[in-house]
């Protein structure tokens, strides 16, 4: 507990890998992620039963699958968090290339599972969503490019990363997957801002995003339908948004009781996109506040540790990863309470889903690797370009 409050102890030279990893790890972030996963399993016990019955499986079929996915994600998170920043960067480059190719081949080999957007590969025993794995890889690769552009005689990395960002965003919009496209664009924008982007340019980018939204509204029936539903002051009680809103209202402060909620029988996505509605109905505002505090702990702790990091690449990559993580959680909860239009986005480590869980585990593992306590060296070494770890 002392280390969790006052920070990790200095790393001793020649220290074995596991003690060194544990000594330098941000244990508050790790503990928060583990608690989110446990809460996700608890909610899955309630939310996934109706779906299992409709599909002819046992009551806890999806909870068991979630356990397998979750343990795989936690293993990936721990292994990745033990890596050095250089090794994480190499892993991200390889992962990004693979996910990018998989994303490009979706129109040929992908499927929509009847949801109107080709986002998945059907593997028979499971499905794979490349965009989930693309996000952490892209953020680390883009951070590497932006950091390289700040070196003396460095490449035009910022421009290259922007071009890569626009390519990924256009590919996601064509699926269409506007939610993931917004997350990718947001992640790049945060890193560009932290790297010292001119405010005028950021305003210009915001204007471009607004114009892009107007274009999407006029050209995509899928996008326009969701915006119209969000702007409509009347909520149709037979829609997903209507069911979720009513469930949150019924839950009140302490909920209607464990297993007593009804929204899971009406919402087809109660175990994924609208899992927060199940939490609010059965456990009330209390559990929702706990979830918000856990996400806030991950974001605040990580940003605080990254503020002390002198390596530009580590600071940018870590900031991009944790801000994307936090915004995804905020969007999911914001949609459920109708603060945002429907996006079809999971709640990290709580919603059911193999791709989102495992990709989230890798992303948080990268974040933990970047936010580990490490000697920062003398500032003169960094000014002279000798301080990279």
């Amino acid at each position: 507990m002392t280390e969790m409050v006052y920070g990790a102890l200095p790393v001793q030279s020649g220290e074995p890998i596991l003690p060194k990893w544990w000594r330098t790890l941000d244990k508050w972030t790790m503990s928060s992620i583990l608690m989110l996963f446990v809460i996700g399993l608890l909610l899955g016990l309630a939310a996934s039963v109706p779906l299992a019955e409709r599909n002819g499986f046992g009551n806890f079929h999806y909870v068991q699958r979630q356990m397998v996915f979750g343990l795989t994600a936690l293993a990936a998170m721990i292994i990745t968090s033990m890596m050095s920043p250089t090794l994480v960067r190499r892993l991200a480059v390889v992962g990004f290339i693979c996910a990018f190719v998989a994303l490009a081949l979706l129109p040929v080999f992908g499927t929509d599972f009847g949801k109107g957007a080709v986002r998945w590969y059907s593997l028979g025993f499971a499905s794979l969503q490349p965009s989930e794995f693309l996000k952490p890889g892209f953020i680390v690769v883009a951070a590497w490019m932006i950091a390289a552009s700040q070196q003396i005689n460095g490449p035009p990395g910022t421009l290259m990363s922007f071009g890569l960002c626009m390519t990924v965003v256009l590919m996601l919009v064509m699926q269409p997957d506007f939610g993931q496209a917004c997350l990718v664009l947001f992640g790049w924008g945060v890193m560009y801002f932290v790297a010292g982007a001119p405010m005028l340019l950021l305003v210009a980018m915001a204007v471009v995003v607004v114009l892009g939204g107007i274009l999407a509204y006029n050209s995509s029936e899928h996008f326009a339908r969701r915006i119209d539903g969000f702007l409509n002051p009347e909520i149709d009680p037979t829609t997903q948004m209507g069911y979720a809103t009513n469930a949150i209202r019924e839950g009140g402060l302490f909920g209607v009781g464990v297993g007593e909620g009804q929204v899971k029988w009406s919402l087809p996505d109660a175990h994924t996109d609208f899992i927060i509605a199940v939490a609010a109905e059965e456990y009330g505002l209390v559990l929702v506040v706990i979830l918000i505090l856990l996400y806030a702990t991950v974001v605040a702790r990580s940003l605080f540790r990254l503020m002390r990091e002198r390596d530009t690449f580590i600071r940018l990559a870590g900031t991009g990863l944790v801000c994307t993580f936090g915004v995804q959680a905020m969007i999911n909860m914001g949609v459920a309470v109708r603060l945002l239009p429907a996006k079809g986005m999971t709640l990290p480590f709580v919603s059911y889903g193999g791709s989102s869980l495992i990709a989230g585990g890798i992303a948080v593992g990268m974040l933990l690797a970047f936010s580990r306590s490490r000697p920062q060296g003398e500032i003169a070494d960094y000014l002279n370009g000798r301080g990279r770890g």
Side-chain angles (χ1 to χ4, degrees):
M1 179 63 73
T2 302
E3 292 182 11
M4 295 177 71
V5 175
Y6 295 103
L9 298 175
V11 178
Q12 302 170 3
S13 59
E15 193 173 8
I17 293 177
L18 285 177
K20 177 181 178 180
W21 168 76
W22 182 250
R23 192 182 294 270
T24 59
L25 184 71
D26 183 0
K27 300 174 187 64
W28 281 101
T29 294
M30 173 70 84
S31 301
S32 297
I33 294 297
L34 293 175
M35 290 179 67
L36 286 170
F37 175 60
V38 171
I39 292 174
L41 287 178
L42 179 66
L43 294 175
L45 289 170
S48 63
V49 171
L51 180 66
E53 289 189 3
R54 286 196 297 267
N55 293 334
F57 299 121
N59 285 347
F60 303 117
H61 172 78
Y62 290 104
V63 177
Q64 293 168 352
R65 289 172 62 89
Q66 181 80 340
M67 177 68 78
V68 173
F69 293 142
L71 293 177
T72 304
L74 294 178
M77 178 182 69
I78 292 172
I79 293 172
T80 307
S81 68
M82 293 181 179
M83 298 178 181
S84 67
T86 301
L87 187 55
V88 170
R89 186 181 66 203
R90 292 170 181 170
L91 172 68
V93 171
V94 175
F96 173 75
I97 293 173
C98 294
F100 186 86
V101 172
L103 190 70
L105 294 177
L106 270 178
V108 181
F109 301 106
T111 182
D112 63 354
F113 290 111
K115 295 186 177 182
V118 182
R119 302 175 184 175
W120 301 272
Y121 286 103
S122 178
L123 306 179
F125 61 93
S127 61
L128 177 69
Q129 187 175 357
S131 61
E132 293 285 358
F133 296 90
L134 185 78
K135 284 184 300 184
F138 166 77
I139 288 173
V140 175
V141 170
W144 181 30
M145 292 179 174
I146 296 174
S149 69
Q150 297 187 355
Q151 298 177 355
I152 299 175
N153 298 323
T158 300
L159 184 61
M160 293 167 59
S161 68
F162 180 71
L164 188 63
C165 177
M166 289 296 100
T167 302
V168 171
V169 167
L170 287 175
M171 292 173 67
L172 290 171
V173 167
M174 289 173 62
Q175 289 184 357
D177 191 347
F178 295 101
Q180 298 289 1
C182 289
L183 275 182
V184 168
L185 189 59
F186 171 80
W188 184 88
V190 166
M191 292 187 295
Y192 188 40
F193 173 77
V194 173
M199 187 58 66
L200 184 61
L201 187 57
L202 290 174
V203 173
M205 288 177 57
V207 173
V208 171
V209 170
V210 172
L211 293 177
I214 295 174
L215 178 63
Y217 180 83
N218 292 324
S219 59
S220 172
E221 181 181 350
H222 174 80
F223 185 83
R225 185 169 59 251
R226 292 195 169 188
I227 296 298
D228 290 340
F230 171 70
L231 295 177
N232 188 352
E234 299 295 330
I235 303 178
D236 185 350
T238 61
T239 62
Q240 290 198 102
M241 194 65 69
Y243 289 129
T245 303
N246 183 67
I248 294 171
R249 186 185 304 114
E250 292 292 327
L253 185 60
F254 298 106
V256 298
V258 179
E260 298 298 323
Q262 297 301 313
V263 69
K264 58 195 176 188
W265 298 98
S266 306
L267 274 175
D269 294 328
H271 62 307
T272 55
D273 300 348
F274 288 92
I275 191 74
I276 196 70
V278 177
E281 184 181 31
E282 297 199 359
Y283 297 92
L285 181 63
V286 173
L287 183 59
V288 175
V289 171
I290 291 174
L291 286 170
I292 293 173
L293 289 176
L294 289 173
Y295 286 114
T297 298
V298 174
V299 174
R301 286 283 305 182
S302 299
L303 290 177
F304 178 76
R305 292 169 75 94
L306 290 166
M307 284 173 59
R308 297 176 292 181
E309 178 61 57
R310 290 177 179 168
D311 188 293
T312 303
F313 161 69
I314 295 175
R315 189 168 62 250
L316 292 178
T319 302
L321 288 169
V322 73
C323 288
T324 302
F325 174 86
V327 166
Q328 179 171 339
M330 184 180 70
I331 289 174
N332 178 278
M333 291 184 281
V335 167
V337 296
R338 212 164 178 258
L339 290 175
L340 295 169
K343 284 287 190 298
M345 201 171 292
T346 58
L347 190 61
F349 290 94
V350 176
S351 295
Y352 172 83
S355 294
S356 60
L357 254 179
I358 297 173
I362 295 172
V364 173
M366 292 177 173
L367 173 63
L368 289 170
F370 290 138
S371 63
R372 283 169 57 185
S373 299
R374 58 178 57 85
Q376 296 298 314
E378 298 296 332
I379 193 167
D381 293 336
Y382 282 83
L383 295 176
N384 293 327
R386 300 194 300 268
R388 298 186 67 83

